Amino acid sequence: MTLQIVIGAQWGDEGKGRFVDLLSAKADVVARFAGGDNAGHTIRIGDDVYKLHLIPSGLIYPQTVGVIGSGTVINPLVLLGEMDSLREAGVVVNPDRLKISYAAHMITPAHMALDRARETSLGKAKIGTTARGIGPAYVDKARRSGIQYNDLLDLAFFEERLTQNLEQANRELELYGAEPLALAAIVTEYMGYAETLAPYVADTSAIVMDALDAGKHVIAEGAQGALLDIDHGSYPFVTSSSCGAANALVGLGIATPDEMSVVGIVKTFQTRVGSGPFPTELEGEMASMLRGDGSQQWDEFGTTTGRARRIGWLDGVLLKRVARMNGLTELGLTKLDVLSGIPEIKFCTDYKPAEGVISPLLARTEIEAIYETFKGWDEDIMDVTNWEDLPKNAQEYVLAIEAYCGVPVRWISVGPERSQVICR
Ligand code: IMP
């Protein structure tokens, strides 16, 4: 295997981190291709919990090189914090092991302030962003006023770019009636970050291409989920980058390799944070049960923001579309154990026709989902390690997902530990 792309097949938070962790055991390079610290990966190894937002989770394995690719937007303060916490956990983090693309863009305090100001100004129509400055950083990139990591190689130039960026933001913040940024203090602080991070800046396209040419195993680690994709998601309630498999190539700056697989990670039910359409959304007791009460690391509360996630039944229609658009070759199914004890499990296979609606993702009115119902199971499945040992009803639900989407379910997680994954 050469390139293995791992993407979220829903609205993010599918549990990509644990699968990237599983697959990285055999990887040489693990590369993030889009997004920023709006992503959050929780990985549990024994009693230790690692929360990563930017650094590819596969860096935990000593043989890997981690790449943060050209399509990403990086908050240097968050990155430095993650580097420190990994070091404290005994992971070696140095410029030989971690590479930042020279073309990646920097998130500055200006982007975070603008994110907050814009959301406030939208009132009820707000997107519900993570307030990490993601949108404004991609706006700066698209309007060609962004700061690239390449700029860190010339500190005087970096200072000039950063000052311009902050001055421009202050003009915009004034229009929103928001507090201006303290320019001098931010510039001094960021000059320090620039100096520390400069040795990590590299030509990551070449690094990944060389690895692929040498037959090495590269994992492209997606962020967010396909339904949050700027082009193909529930616009405007999306993130500002492309979360799909095709962007692994663009965001890393590589050509289509000879050998490639695309793993879609999907939860056995549906969640989303932030605003926007959600045809299979549930309220009440069932939603609370699936969400958990927040006492467990794995309950449905945001890794990045702590917000309670919206909950629903698995939307097969959206999943099938994501599978086709992204050429999914395998599915990794997460949280099958959470469904234990639920008498009837619903799976959306269609919607009631609604006038003027082509895509449920863009519907302005509520769309009614049509479900197929499956019998549940009572057994605790958290210790099951073989497919054959799963209750028959659990097998039937998994097989139905597979048949409906036309993509084999290769892995099934039944608990948070590394060992709690069934491989088929
Ligand atoms: P932004 O990416 O912070 O601009 O947020 C845009 C939308 O994407 C909001 O609805 C966020 O809640 C959502 N979002 C961004 N990153 C993630 C993620 O990693 N998981 C789930 N939702 C996310």
Side-chain angles (χ1 to χ4, degrees):
M1 180 56 56
T2 50
L3 181 65
Q4 190 164 37
I5 302 171
V6 182
I7 63 160
Q10 294 161 303
W11 274 295
D13 309 318
E14 299 87 354
K16 292 175 290 294
R18 61 126 6 106
F19 277 97
V20 172
D21 174 57
L22 181 87
L23 302 171
S24 298
K26 291 190 189 138
D28 300 295
V29 177
V30 205
R32 268 282 299 270
F33 57 85
D37 62 309
N38 47 349
H41 290 167
T42 308
I43 300 160
R44 196 163 134 187
I45 305 168
D47 290 336
D48 296 328
V49 173
Y50 298 82
K51 284 196 176 210
L52 298 175
H53 299 279
L54 279 166
I55 295 184
S57 31
L59 199 74
I60 287 170
Y61 290 94
Q63 84 285 358
T64 55
V65 167
V67 163
I68 310 183
S70 314
T72 62
V73 284
I74 307 169
N75 179 327
L77 182 57
V78 174
L79 178 59
L80 288 165
E82 267 176 37
M83 288 160 78
D84 282 347
S85 60
L86 280 181
R87 281 190 193 113
E88 273 165 32
V91 178
V92 177
V93 184
N94 60 33
D96 291 330
R97 290 206 66 212
L98 181 65
K99 313 277 184 184
I100 304 172
S101 167
Y102 63 76
H105 278 248
M106 182 179 283
I107 294 185
T108 70
H111 298 130
M112 287 180 282
L114 285 167
D115 200 350
R116 285 191 299 269
R118 193 176 135 72
E119 283 280 271
T120 308
S121 78
L122 284 171
K124 274 195 180 152
K126 73 175 182 185
I127 291 163
T129 71
T130 58
R132 299 298 173 113
I134 306 297
Y138 279 113
V139 166
D140 263 340
K141 173 176 172 171
R143 73 177 173 189
R144 292 151 292 180
S145 54
I147 298 166
Q148 287 186 301
Y149 271 75
N150 190 60
D151 300 344
L152 272 50
L153 305 180
D154 177 346
L155 285 178
F157 182 72
F158 171 70
E159 186 173 6
E160 204 179 298
R161 293 288 283 178
L162 180 62
T163 308
Q164 279 168 3
N165 177 268
L166 298 171
E167 283 170 352
Q168 172 63 29
N170 271 350
R171 285 192 287 275
E172 287 171 42
L173 287 169
E174 200 181 334
L175 296 177
Y176 285 117
E179 284 289 304
L181 299 157
L183 254 67
I186 296 173
V187 171
T188 309
E189 183 187 338
Y190 274 65
M191 289 297 281
Y193 301 151
E195 218 170 317
T196 313
L197 288 175
Y200 293 83
V201 178
D203 179 355
T204 54
S205 293
I207 291 168
V208 177
M209 285 188 291
D210 289 348
L212 289 169
D213 286 349
K216 294 195 171 165
H217 187 159
V218 177
I219 293 183
E221 176 177 335
Q224 289 79 49
L227 303 177
L228 284 174
D229 186 283
I230 179 101
D231 292 306
H232 304 289
S234 49
Y235 192 92
F237 305 105
V238 291
T239 191
S240 298
S241 61
S242 181
C243 317
N247 198 39
L249 307 182
V250 179
L252 292 178
I254 57 173
T256 316
D258 295 337
E259 257 189 85
M260 186 171 86
S261 66
V262 186
V263 181
I265 307 302
V266 60
K267 217 178 280 187
T268 50
F269 50 99
Q270 200 90 4
T271 62
R272 97 171 279 179
V273 274
S275 324
F278 189 163
T280 60
E281 185 161 16
L282 280 165
E283 307 269 339
E285 214 178 302
M286 185 58 74
S288 307
M289 198 172 147
L290 291 170
R291 182 183 296 116
D293 60 7
S295 59
Q296 302 297 322
Q297 283 293 338
W298 301 93
D299 287 346
E300 296 293 347
F301 293 82
T303 318
T304 304
T305 58
R307 288 180 289 182
R309 295 177 185 145
R310 297 161 67 193
I311 306 282
W313 295 118
L314 180 54
D315 192 325
V317 181
L318 293 180
L319 180 60
K320 191 186 212 170
R321 185 167 171 85
V322 166
R324 288 183 72 194
M325 284 185 71
N326 293 281
L328 299 186
T329 53
E330 292 146 303
L331 288 179
L333 202 59
T334 58
K335 288 198 149 182
L336 189 63
D337 54 300
V338 174
L339 299 185
S340 292
I342 294 177
E344 285 191 333
I345 298 158
K346 294 189 174 190
F347 176 63
C348 169
T349 52
D350 207 347
Y351 309 112
K352 292 229 168 99
E355 209 175 311
V357 177
I358 295 180
S359 165
L361 291 174
L362 304 184
R364 285 194 227 297
T365 51
E366 241 175 66
I367 289 226
E368 218 181 307
I370 298 172
Y371 296 101
E372 198 171 318
T373 304
F374 293 85
K375 277 201 190 119
W377 58 92
D378 285 327
E379 296 91 324
D380 178 351
I381 58 171
M382 292 181 83
D383 290 329
V384 174
T385 47
N386 292 312
W387 167 254
E388 292 74 26
D389 298 332
L390 276 178
K392 204 162 171 305
N393 289 352
Q395 288 185 359
E396 266 173 29
Y397 180 56
V398 173
L399 291 174
I401 296 170
E402 183 173 274
Y404 186 85
C405 303
V407 183
V409 174
R410 172 112 188 258
W411 302 275
I412 302 160
S413 82
V414 290
E417 299 293 339
R418 263 185 181 166
S419 57
Q420 290 173 300
V421 175
I422 299 170
C423 285
R424 283 176 75 208

